[in-house]
Each structure stands twice: as C-alpha cells, then as structure tokens.
Amino acid sequence: MASGLPFRHPAQGFNASQQLIKSDRGSMLTMSDDNVMMKQIVGTHAPDGREVDVKPLLHLVEDILKRATQQIDTSLTTSQAHAELEDKTHQVNFVSMLDALSYTIDRISCEIAYKSLDGTDAHATTVSLFNMLPSYSWDAKLVLTLAAFALNYGEFWLLAQIYSSNQLAKSMAILRQLPSIMEHSGPLKPRFDAINNLIKVMMDVARCVVEFKDLPPAYISNEVPALSTAMAHIPTAVYWTMRSVVACAAQITSLTTMGHEFSISTTVAWELSSLAHKLSNILDHLRKQLATCYQHIDEKRNVESFRMLKNLFEMVHIDNMKILKALIYAKDDIQPLIDGSSKKRVHLDVLRRKNVLLLISGLDMSNDELSILEQIYNESRPHEARLDSQYEVVWVPIVDRSVQSDAMKEKFESMQSSMPWYTVYHPSLIEKAVIRFIKEVWHFRNKPILVVLDPQGKVVSPNALHMMWIWGSSAFPFTSLREESLWRDETWRLELLVDGIDPVILNWIKEGKYIFLYGGDDDEWARKFTNTARAVAQAARIPLEMVYVGKSSKREKIRRVIATITVEKLSYVWQDLTMIWFFWTRLESMLYSKIQLGRLDDHDPMMQEIKKLLSYDREGGWAVLSKGSNVVANGHRTTVLQTLLEYDMWKDQVPVKGFDLAFQDHQGRIHDISRPCCRFDFPMTTGRIPETMKCPECNRTMEKFSTFLCCHDEVIPDELFK
C-alpha cells in the first residue's frame, strides 16, 4: 500500500503545523458543547449491516505499535528485547478481509497525511475520516483508522531501526531526515514520550470498544443499563481516539517534513498529554461499564448453569461422567484431579462407573476429622472385592475466590498433600454455579459433607459423614439405604456411644462391670462426683469403673479437668483430645443422621436419650450409668450426684431390685421433681436444621433462639472460614 507524503515547502509546512497546534488547543479549550460535536459525528454514521471481524487486524496493529513504541525507548534510552507476539494474521479469512480493506486503510492514511500538511483543523480532519467510513460499525471505524496510523508510524520507526545497516533504508531515511532526528533525539524525548503514552491509551480504548462488540447477545442486551450507557458513550470514545490518531500523525509528519528544529518546546507534549488525559477518563468510564456487563453475563451464565445442573441430576445416565464433568471440570484440555497415592495429575476417567464419594469442605477441616476419615477410608478399601462395589473419594475444596492470600494457598496445598484420595487440582476449577448448587441443593454450610454418587452419578446419600462417624467402615457402601438399615438394627447400648474409640471400655462391658461415663468442664464437680460414686460402689459392693469423656467444646477447660483427674487419680480419663472430639462428633452425627433421613421421631426412646445427652453437655456436667452393655441411667449432673448423695435413702432396695434398677428408680424420682432445662445448638454451618424439635424431657415443642457464641477454643485466621 502506498503511503507517500506530498511535497511542501518547509515554511509552508511549519505554518500549517503551527496552525494545527493552535487550532487543536483552542478547540479543546473552547468546545464546551460536546453534544453538538457528537451529533455531527453520529450524523455521519450509516451502517449498512456488514460485519467485519476486526480482532485479527487489531492484533496486527498492536504488534506494529508495540514494536514501534519499544523502538522509541530503544532509540532514546537503553535497548530492550522485543516482546514476541503470536502472529494471528495468517488465516485465510483474515487475508481475504485484508484484501477488501486495504484500499480503505490506504485512503485513511493519505487523508491524515494531506490534512496534516494542509493545516486542516484536527476536528475537521477527524470528521473527514468519519465521512469516509459511514457504513462501518464504530469498532471497525476505529480499528481501520488505527491500522492506517500504524502503517505510517511503523514505517517511520522501521527506517529508524535499520537505516544504519541497509543502504536502501539509509537513502529513504535521509529523505525523511531521520539521521538528523535521531542525532537530536534528546530535546525531542518529551514529544516521543507523549506520543508513546497517548498510543498506549488509544490501544486500550480500542481493545475496550472491541470487547463491547464481542459481548454475547444471548446473555446481555441493550436493556441492561451498563451496556446501554456504554453504547451511548462509544461514539465519543471512537471520536477522541481517532482525533488522537490525527494528533500523533501530525507530529510525525511535521518531523519528517520540517526536521528536528520544529517545535522542540513542551507545547506539543502538553497537547498530546491533554488528549491522553481525556482518553483515560473515557476509558475508565467504559471499563467500569464493561466490568458491570461482565458481572451481569456471569450471573446469567451461573443461573443457566445452575438450572442445567439441577436438570442433569434429574436425568438417568449410563455412567457418571456427565455428572462429574458438570461438577468438577467440563473440558478435556487439562487433568483436573490429583491422585492422592502418586501425587500425579489424572483425568476424570479414573472415576468412570465407580461409586464416588465427594468430600466437600472449606479449608477449616480439622486434623481430627481428616485422620479419622483416613482411618475409615483405609479400613473400608478391602470391601471393594466386587467390581460394582469399587469407590473413590474426591476432595472438592470450596473457597471464597475474592479472598486470596499466601496463608490460604499454603493451607490448601498442605491439606491436599496429606490426603490419600483424589483431590481437585485447584479450587478455581469449581464453577460458581456448582458452588451455588452444593450450597442450595446439598445444604453445604462450610462444615464438611460427603455426598455419595453411584456409578451412574445418582446421589445415593446427601451426606455419608454421619454414618461414617457412627459405624465406620461397617457403613460401606455409604448409601442412605445402608444408613436406614443400620439404624433398624441399632439399640440404646453403651457400645453405640463408645464403639471404635476405646477398647478398654469394651473390655469392661464384656466383664459386666458397672460403668459411669461422665463429662463437663467443672473439675470441682468431677472431684465430688467421682469420690461419691466410688464410696457408693464400695458400700454397695459393686465393680464400678468411671471414665471422663470431656465436653463437645472448650478444649482448654477440658485439659485442666483432665490434669486434675490425672493428678488426683479420680478416674480413668481419655488423655487424647481426638478421642474426646470423636465421641462428641459421633453423638452429634446420630442426631444429624436422623434429621437427614427424616426419621427424627420424638417417640423413639433411643433418640430421646441421645438428645438428652447432647442437651446435658450444653448445660454442664452429666453422667451415664451402664451395667455392661445395658444403659441404666442418663442424667444431668444435679440429678445423678443427688442420687448418689442420697444412697442411704435407697440402699435397702439394692438387694431387692439390684443396684442398677434401684439407682434408676431413685434418679427418676429426683428427675421428676427437678427436671433440668434442655438446649440444642445448631451452628449455621450445619447443612440441615430441623424446623421444630420437641424436648426429650417433657415432649413439648421447644422455643427457637438465635445465638452468637465465641468460645475461643482455637485461633484460626478468619479468612479460612469465608
């Protein structure tokens, strides 16, 4: 494409360029009514419906201007390596498009050059460009004008780069006065810096305008305020960017026609900086609208994806791959899982037609939970003898993407490296719609859940953690049907409370001993209770063992009680706090399991006793008395201790009824007189909370409260809970 410049006498060119500066500056300062000007510009706009994909052309312009602006720095300061930009211009479609547009680009280039030397007002020149491009869209007008500018600007710096080593380039450079310009580059540096800065802003505006053109119409329309506002401002953005092109081109033209002596003052730099400032303000406004548009599109897509995900789970599938891809990662371009055993990345295919247990949690999953879960996981693996019983666990981390920190990254990597099962490679793979689905449909509230999918991707348990904590590997294959079956076979016995925790107690059960399980956080009560119980056992001549099982919270207080019991040898005690944690986790899981199954029957004696025990834990000390496996009494500390203190009142019944029934009868009478209050606390992180509950003591509907609790058991960074 030809890009020759017309011959002008130096003096004529000087006057024309000075006139351009004065008129441009004056128009910028005096043209207060932008509406009038923009009406003129919009009046030239008469698109004929043609669609031009300007992105490849914009990539080419970017490449030219990027290398040219780098050449400015190379020529005037120090050398630096050119950035390599992928060449996206060899496609057949682009070549054919360029054939159709080359004539227009050449005309724009010549128009800018001639008008610059004629001293035409910058606004008038810009209007003439719009008059040449009436049928094109706003983004095409802008990119075509930038292409015309890149043609001349790139030629200027190409000659500057190679004229010292290429004779043809040297001769052409002399005609353009380039050697002289380069020799006096110091005084010209403010002008080149101003051009460089303005070009960067021009390209940012162009990219932004093209982005608006590429917004998907299926998710956004002009009815969205952000888009309609942006569309109203795009003509202004295009106008001032094209006018900036005219200003930059005028500076290069003046240099090559009049030499370095022309206007080495700061006036030109000020004009260009003013344009850059105006364009920057326009760009900031457009970017805000674009961000709002993207947010709207994101929300629309999330709603659509959420709906599709719900529909997907209502369908029947031949295997689980559609479900897993929808939940974890839909594309095949990366390996989205880490194999816990080899620590290598793998594809989702490793889960095809297997039972998949999705361990869903934040980064606050405790070491206790992980260690117990790993133990159960390892114990249950031998159950996989048959092919149709094979299962895998996959950790799905749910984190707040808006909060990023080194602590969170380290915590995630630490948890991931410690897990023996499959884990999602990175939390960012889990889409927002999936997180919404997990929270709304599967009731995830930051507390870990274990969703079980069968080989066809059907949910067979919304949370298998409860049955895992209660029955361990015996709960395999961890389905809701298996959970209901286990409850049908279960009875209210001491093994239900302590099974899998401490073999010492299981031996006491086999020996038929009387056993007191007791808890609380009051060491004085523990002292009085154990001493009184021991004295009563000696008087009644019964074999009695006692074990302190702590409390569901307040670990520091529990440590102090354990220390007192150990030093004073008051009873057997669980020194390992993990055992205490597991005891209470299992007990809470029994309640949650029944809630999840919809079997929270207020007439179920076993569940009434479990609810009592959980309530007593919240209100203070408590004790459970059993004879071997049979649970005799379950009471608040006030009734149990009083029963023991009043032994003389019921000791005559021991030879008649036996110690267990005599204790039970007297404790029952005390309980009827001074019935303790019941209380249940359901953290908001618990997924499924019953609408109503009846008191296990009086069977009346309990009152519902909202409570804020801060017990300071452990100090964990707040950001890990978001």
Side-chain angles (χ1 to χ4, degrees):
M1 293 181 288
S3 58
L5 295 175
F7 173 77
R8 285 293 185 272
H9 189 278
Q12 181 183 355
F14 176 80
N15 291 334
S17 297
Q18 289 287 61
Q19 181 182 347
L20 170 62
I21 293 172
K22 290 178 181 178
S23 63
D24 194 42
R25 182 180 182 184
S27 61
M28 288 180 65
L29 295 175
T30 61
M31 187 175 291
S32 58
D33 191 359
D34 274 359
N35 289 332
V36 174
M37 178 183 70
M38 289 314 301
K39 282 182 181 179
Q40 181 185 11
I41 297 301
V42 173
T44 68
H45 189 56
D48 59 5
R50 75 180 73 182
E51 287 294 329
V52 180
D53 181 11
V54 296
K55 289 191 294 295
L57 183 58
L58 183 61
H59 286 311
L60 187 60
V61 172
E62 280 183 301
D63 191 33
I64 294 170
L65 295 181
K66 188 174 184 180
R67 295 176 189 277
T69 51
Q70 285 175 344
Q71 182 59 31
I72 293 173
D73 295 333
T74 302
S75 300
L76 301 181
T77 55
T78 58
S79 62
Q80 66 183 63
H82 291 304
E84 291 299 327
L85 190 66
E86 182 185 357
D87 184 5
K88 301 178 180 180
T89 63
H90 292 304
Q91 295 92 340
V92 174
N93 291 341
F94 175 74
V95 173
S96 61
M97 182 192 72
L98 201 58
D99 287 339
L101 297 177
S102 59
Y103 173 74
T104 303
I105 294 171
D106 199 50
R107 280 188 61 205
I108 297 170
S109 176
C110 293
E111 181 76 6
I112 294 173
Y114 274 99
K115 290 289 173 66
S116 295
L117 287 172
D118 279 342
T120 304
D121 175 84
H123 171 66
T125 303
T126 308
V127 171
S128 71
L129 298 181
F130 279 101
N131 286 326
M132 294 172 61
L133 303 166
S135 58
Y136 291 95
S137 59
W138 292 108
D139 62 314
K141 294 180 201 288
L142 180 54
V143 175
L144 287 170
T145 303
L146 286 168
F149 170 69
L151 188 64
N152 281 336
Y153 194 64
E155 179 184 312
F156 176 85
W157 285 110
L158 178 62
L159 289 177
Q161 180 180 358
I162 67 172
Y163 78 90
S164 60
S165 59
N166 185 290
Q167 186 57 47
L168 175 59
K170 183 176 181 179
S171 299
M172 293 179 65
I174 292 172
L175 286 177
R176 290 293 183 89
Q177 304 188 61
L178 275 175
S180 177
I181 293 171
M182 294 299 104
E183 288 173 10
H184 298 85
S185 59
L188 292 172
K189 188 177 186 304
R191 188 194 301 196
F192 283 125
D193 287 343
I195 292 173
N196 194 4
N197 291 334
L198 182 53
I199 287 174
K200 289 177 181 177
V201 181
M202 286 159 45
M203 292 306 300
D204 286 339
V205 172
R207 281 188 288 267
C208 192
V209 169
V210 171
E211 277 192 75
F212 275 107
K213 182 68 177 295
D214 283 345
L215 293 179
Y219 297 102
I220 193 167
S221 67
N222 278 328
E223 295 178 359
V224 177
L227 183 56
S228 60
T229 300
M231 290 299 102
H233 283 82
I234 279 178
T236 303
V238 173
Y239 167 81
W240 283 105
T241 308
M242 289 172 62
R243 183 156 164 176
S244 297
V245 167
V246 171
C248 289
Q251 301 313 312
I252 300 302
T253 300
S254 64
L255 280 174
T256 56
T257 56
M258 287 164 284
H260 69 277
E261 297 91 349
F262 168 69
S263 186
I264 61 174
S265 69
T266 58
T267 303
V268 172
W270 181 89
E271 297 289 348
L272 297 174
S273 296
S274 297
L275 282 168
H277 179 71
K278 186 172 186 69
L279 269 186
S280 293
N281 290 335
I282 293 172
L283 178 63
D284 287 343
H285 178 73
L286 287 180
R287 279 178 169 168
K288 287 177 183 177
Q289 303 306 318
L290 187 61
T292 305
C293 288
Y294 279 135
Q295 184 178 355
H296 175 86
I297 292 168
D298 196 34
E299 290 171 358
K300 285 282 188 181
R301 281 178 169 159
N302 286 337
V303 169
E304 182 181 71
S305 298
F306 176 75
R307 186 169 56 250
M308 290 174 62
L309 196 56
K310 288 185 70 175
N311 292 338
L312 199 61
F313 274 93
E314 294 172 359
M315 299 165 61
V316 178
H317 306 279
I318 59 171
D319 63 23
N320 54 7
M321 293 314 294
K322 279 188 178 180
I323 293 290
L324 292 174
K325 284 186 175 183
L327 289 172
I328 297 174
Y329 191 71
K331 301 177 184 177
D332 295 322
D333 55 340
I334 64 169
Q335 296 171 306
L337 299 179
I338 296 288
D339 186 334
S341 57
S342 67
K343 303 305 177 187
K344 294 180 180 179
R345 293 181 66 171
V346 294
H347 285 290
L348 286 172
D349 282 339
V350 297
L351 307 175
R352 187 183 296 273
R353 293 188 179 175
K354 291 185 179 181
N355 295 285
V356 177
L357 281 59
L358 299 174
L359 175 60
I360 301 168
S361 80
L363 301 183
D364 55 335
M365 195 171 183
S366 70
N367 291 330
D368 292 337
E369 289 174 301
L370 285 172
S371 61
I372 298 294
L373 186 59
E374 182 174 352
Q375 179 182 331
I376 296 171
Y377 172 79
N378 291 330
E379 288 175 357
S380 60
R381 300 303 281 179
H383 286 279
E384 295 186 81
R386 299 199 341 252
L387 186 63
D388 60 355
S389 296
Q390 289 186 348
Y391 84 94
E392 298 291 349
V393 175
V394 179
W395 180 42
V396 181
I398 306 297
V399 301
D400 185 353
R401 297 186 188 181
S402 65
V403 181
Q404 299 291 335
S405 69
D406 291 339
M408 289 182 66
K409 182 174 181 290
E410 290 174 6
K411 179 67 175 176
F412 166 73
E413 291 175 350
S414 173
M415 289 180 64
Q416 187 180 57
S417 64
S418 68
M419 292 179 176
W421 42 75
Y422 291 105
T423 63
V424 173
Y425 171 66
H426 194 271
S428 61
L429 295 184
I430 309 302
E431 298 289 342
K432 290 181 180 179
V434 175
I435 295 175
R436 180 188 169 190
F437 180 87
I438 288 172
K439 289 181 177 180
E440 293 186 15
V441 179
W442 290 346
H443 304 284
F444 172 72
R445 300 290 184 273
N446 291 341
K447 197 168 184 177
I449 62 174
L450 191 69
V451 179
V452 183
L453 307 178
D454 70 7
Q456 286 73 46
K458 180 183 177 182
V459 176
V460 290
S461 174
N463 187 7
L465 271 185
H466 304 315
M467 70 174 105
M468 270 197 173
W469 296 150
I470 301 168
W471 295 289
S473 58
S474 299
F476 182 85
F478 314 114
T479 65
S480 294
L481 290 176
R482 176 60 177 160
E483 191 172 11
E484 289 184 333
S485 172
L486 288 166
W487 273 123
R488 281 195 298 270
D489 297 337
E490 195 56 79
T491 57
W492 178 235
R493 56 200 175 97
L494 195 61
E495 289 94 334
L496 177 64
L497 297 178
V498 299
D499 192 22
I501 301 177
D502 189 353
V504 171
I505 300 176
L506 297 180
N507 288 333
W508 293 344
I509 293 173
K510 290 177 182 177
E511 294 169 5
K513 291 184 176 182
Y514 285 92
I515 304 167
F516 260 127
L517 260 64
Y518 71 101
D521 58 4
D522 185 347
D523 53 359
E524 180 57 35
W525 178 81
R527 183 183 294 112
K528 191 171 184 178
F529 167 73
T530 52
N531 288 333
T532 304
R534 188 173 292 107
V536 168
Q538 290 175 351
R541 297 179 181 178
I542 60 169
L544 176 67
E545 299 289 351
M546 294 178 284
V547 55
Y548 174 70
V549 297
K551 188 177 175 65
S552 63
S553 59
K554 300 183 179 179
R555 283 196 168 200
E556 290 306 317
K557 284 190 175 182
I558 292 172
R559 285 191 178 96
R560 288 195 289 271
V561 176
I562 289 174
T564 299
I565 293 172
T566 303
V567 171
E568 299 180 18
K569 299 180 180 179
L570 299 177
S571 73
Y572 181 60
V573 62
W574 287 342
Q575 298 285 347
D576 186 355
L577 291 182
T578 300
M579 296 171 70
I580 294 175
W581 169 85
F582 193 41
F583 173 83
W584 289 106
T585 297
R586 290 182 72 255
L587 202 61
E588 290 173 349
S589 293
M590 294 175 196
L591 179 62
Y592 291 139
S593 173
K594 286 285 188 175
I595 292 172
Q596 180 174 282
L597 292 173
R599 302 287 192 273
L600 195 61
D601 187 353
D602 292 309
H603 301 290
D604 180 351
M606 179 167 53
M607 284 312 300
Q608 294 298 88
E609 295 302 319
I610 291 170
K611 286 161 66 177
K612 283 182 186 179
L613 197 50
L614 288 169
S615 176
Y616 296 156
D617 173 60
R618 300 300 185 191
E619 296 299 328
W622 57 272
V624 169
L625 176 65
S626 74
K627 182 182 181 183
S629 177
N630 182 45
V631 176
V632 174
N634 172 18
H636 190 263
R637 66 178 184 175
T638 53
T639 61
V640 173
L641 181 58
Q642 189 176 345
T643 300
L644 292 172
L645 291 172
E646 295 177 356
Y647 175 67
D648 287 341
M649 298 174 61
W650 54 274
K651 64 181 181 181
D652 293 340
Q653 297 297 314
V654 172
V656 180
K657 298 179 179 178
F659 181 84
D660 49 347
L661 292 179
F663 181 96
Q664 187 181 62
D665 288 347
H666 194 77
Q667 194 258 350
R669 284 193 290 271
I670 294 173
H671 177 271
D672 290 340
I673 297 171
S674 59
R675 184 176 286 152
C677 292
C678 284
R679 170 186 166 190
F680 296 95
D681 293 328
F682 291 96
M684 296 306 293
T685 53
T686 301
R688 300 170 190 268
I689 301 175
E691 287 297 319
T692 60
M693 281 191 71
K694 289 190 176 181
C695 174
E697 302 284 3
C698 65
N699 208 37
R700 287 183 296 187
T701 300
M702 303 177 74
E703 291 185 71
K704 196 172 184 178
F705 294 89
S706 294
T707 304
F708 294 90
L709 178 66
C710 186
C711 61
H712 297 281
D713 272 358
E714 298 177 64
V715 179
I716 300 175
D718 290 342
E719 62 188 10
L720 297 182
F721 290 93
K722 295 179 180 177

